[in-house]
């Protein structure tokens, strides 16, 4: 066992988390590999809960830097959770939102040059933009690029292309609703009430995305995480016509915009946005630091 690790296990949660983070920073600062026992201890601390939101945020960052063993590719069986949909059909859904690590791997493998995985609309957007995610990501703060955090600042077109490249699709709103609610018709993944400390929403005051699965309360009984908070998610629903009355003055004809549906629950949104039935409409070119996506596929 790594030096000092046994003593840390006797400490209260916040002190134990701080000690684990210090062990990781010390090892990486010396150019050393973080020991497997330290990684296991971090995972145990993550699953056990405890500590403040900011303590756990630091734990998630340290785990990401050390090499989070939970990070998998969509080609790995362990990436998915299999369940039955509301209609009785098999459904396979990503355990977590798509992470920076897996999205970057796709970028590095030439995903943005693979015309076959892009829709016609998406390819037209890609050819017309000057800052697709591989360009934009280089300008993002380091706190948004932690490997085991959800990828953000991704448009619908980019999320859709990533899903297609992996033989998957974006989860639909009706599917997502079933995953959250289950047969018990839960309002949140953990049930009710909303309470404190369950999900990375505005009430937790972390002020940024965090490592996937960091809030162990934000999971369904089947083990699907981050459905209420952390980042909002694009869905695979059909386009919706939205009449933008706010875009014109009185007497003018309002424009009709083609929008996509998202689930808005995120680190910068209140508990109301975390509700299972919550949804919002945004244009497919939208991207911001609280918007990511999750994969699904038919069994």
């Amino acid at each position: 066992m790594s030096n000092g690790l046994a003593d840390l296990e006797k400490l209260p949660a916040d002190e134990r988390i701080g000690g684990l983070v210090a062990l990781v920073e010390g090892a990486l600062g010396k150019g050393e590999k973080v020991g497997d026992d330290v990684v296991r201890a971090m995972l145990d601390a993550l699953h056990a809960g405890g500590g403040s939101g900011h303590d756990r945020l630091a734990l998630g960052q340290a785990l990401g830097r050390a090499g989070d063993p939970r990070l998998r590719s969509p080609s790995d069986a362990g990436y998915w959770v299999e369940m039955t949909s509301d209609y009785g059909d098999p459904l396979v859904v990503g355990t977590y939102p798509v992470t920076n690590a897996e999205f970057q791997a796709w970028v590095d493998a030439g995903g943005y040059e693979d015309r076959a995985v892009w829709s016609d609309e998406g390819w037209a957007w890609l050819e017309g933009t000057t800052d697709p995610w591989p360009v934009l990501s280089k300008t993002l703060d380091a706190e948004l690029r932690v490997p085991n955090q959800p990828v953000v600042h991704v448009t619908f077109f980019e999320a859709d292309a990533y899903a297609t490249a992996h033989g998957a699709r974006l989860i639909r709103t009706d599917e997502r609703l079933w995953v959250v609610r289950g047969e018990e018709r839960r309002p949140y993944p953990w049930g009710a009430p909303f309470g404190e400390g369950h999900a990375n929403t505005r009430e937790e005051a972390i002020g940024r995305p965090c490592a996937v699965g960091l809030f162990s309360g934000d999971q369904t009984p089947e083990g699907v995480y981050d459905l209420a908070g952390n980042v909002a998610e694009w869905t695979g629903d059909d386009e919706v016509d939205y009449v933008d009355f706010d875009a014109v003055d009185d007497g003018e004809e309002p424009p009709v915009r083609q929008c996509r549906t998202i689930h808005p629950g995120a680190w910068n949104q209140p508990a109301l946005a975390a509700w299972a039935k919550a949804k919002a409409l945004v244009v497919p070119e939208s991207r911001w630091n609280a918007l990511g996506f999750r994969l699904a596929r038919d069994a």
Side-chain angles (χ1 to χ4, degrees):
M1 180 171 288
S2 297
N3 185 34
L5 191 55
D7 293 335
L8 289 179
E9 293 178 348
K10 304 172 185 177
L11 299 176
D14 55 344
E15 295 181 34
R16 183 169 67 254
I17 290 172
L20 289 168
V21 172
L23 283 178
V24 171
E25 292 177 346
L28 295 178
K30 298 175 183 177
E32 300 173 354
K33 182 181 182 296
V34 177
D36 291 342
D37 51 352
V38 175
V39 172
R40 284 194 299 270
M42 287 193 288
L43 289 172
D44 290 343
L46 186 152
H47 294 143
S52 70
H54 286 279
D55 290 334
R56 294 174 62 76
L57 176 66
L59 176 67
Q61 282 185 280
L63 183 59
R65 296 180 63 205
D68 191 336
R70 301 174 304 154
L71 294 180
R72 293 184 170 96
S73 163
S75 61
D76 299 331
Y79 182 93
W80 305 95
V81 173
E82 296 188 20
M83 55 194 308
T84 303
S85 75
D86 196 14
Y87 307 104
D89 299 324
L91 173 66
V92 184
V93 59
T95 302
Y96 308 110
V98 172
T99 62
N100 281 306
E102 59 179 284
F103 196 80
Q104 184 65 59
W106 176 63
V107 171
D108 294 342
Y112 277 72
E113 290 78 48
D114 185 1
R115 173 65 182 88
V117 303
W118 292 80
S119 67
D120 291 343
E121 190 179 8
W123 191 254
W125 170 83
L126 182 59
E127 289 189 313
T129 189
T130 59
D131 59 346
W133 189 87
V135 175
L136 177 66
S137 64
K138 293 181 173 60
T139 70
L140 299 180
D141 292 340
E143 66 181 26
L144 297 177
R145 294 184 281 108
V146 179
N148 60 353
Q149 290 182 182
V151 64
V152 294
H153 281 288
V154 178
T155 66
F156 172 84
F157 305 125
E158 293 165 299
D160 181 64
Y162 179 86
T164 301
H166 291 87
R169 54 181 171 78
L170 302 182
I171 191 170
R172 299 194 309 266
T173 295
D174 63 326
E175 293 172 332
R176 196 182 192 283
L177 182 61
W178 171 251
V179 171
V180 174
R181 299 186 74 196
E183 294 181 353
E184 300 82 9
R185 297 300 190 264
R186 301 177 295 266
Y188 305 105
W190 57 87
F194 183 78
E196 297 180 0
H198 284 298
N200 183 14
T201 60
R202 193 163 71 195
E203 287 81 3
E204 292 299 315
I206 288 180
R208 49 167 290 189
C210 65
V212 295
L214 189 70
F215 282 75
S216 56
D218 190 1
Q219 67 168 303
T220 67
E222 297 81 10
V224 184
Y225 287 80
D226 292 4
L227 289 159
N230 211 359
V231 296
E233 293 180 6
W234 289 109
T235 71
D237 296 13
D238 293 335
E239 287 184 323
V240 176
D241 289 340
Y242 173 73
V243 181
D244 192 355
F245 291 100
D246 295 330
V248 297
D249 296 326
D250 292 342
E252 296 181 1
E253 189 70 20
V256 177
R257 305 190 187 281
Q258 295 291 311
C259 292
R260 293 284 177 173
T261 305
I262 66 169
H263 184 274
W267 62 266
N268 62 350
Q269 295 295 314
L272 185 62
W275 186 42
K277 292 185 176 181
K279 58 183 179 180
L281 293 175
V282 298
V283 295
E285 299 86 359
S286 298
R287 52 185 176 179
W288 62 86
N289 60 2
L291 179 58
F293 66 102
R294 183 188 305 267
L295 300 185
R297 58 179 174 84
D298 302 315

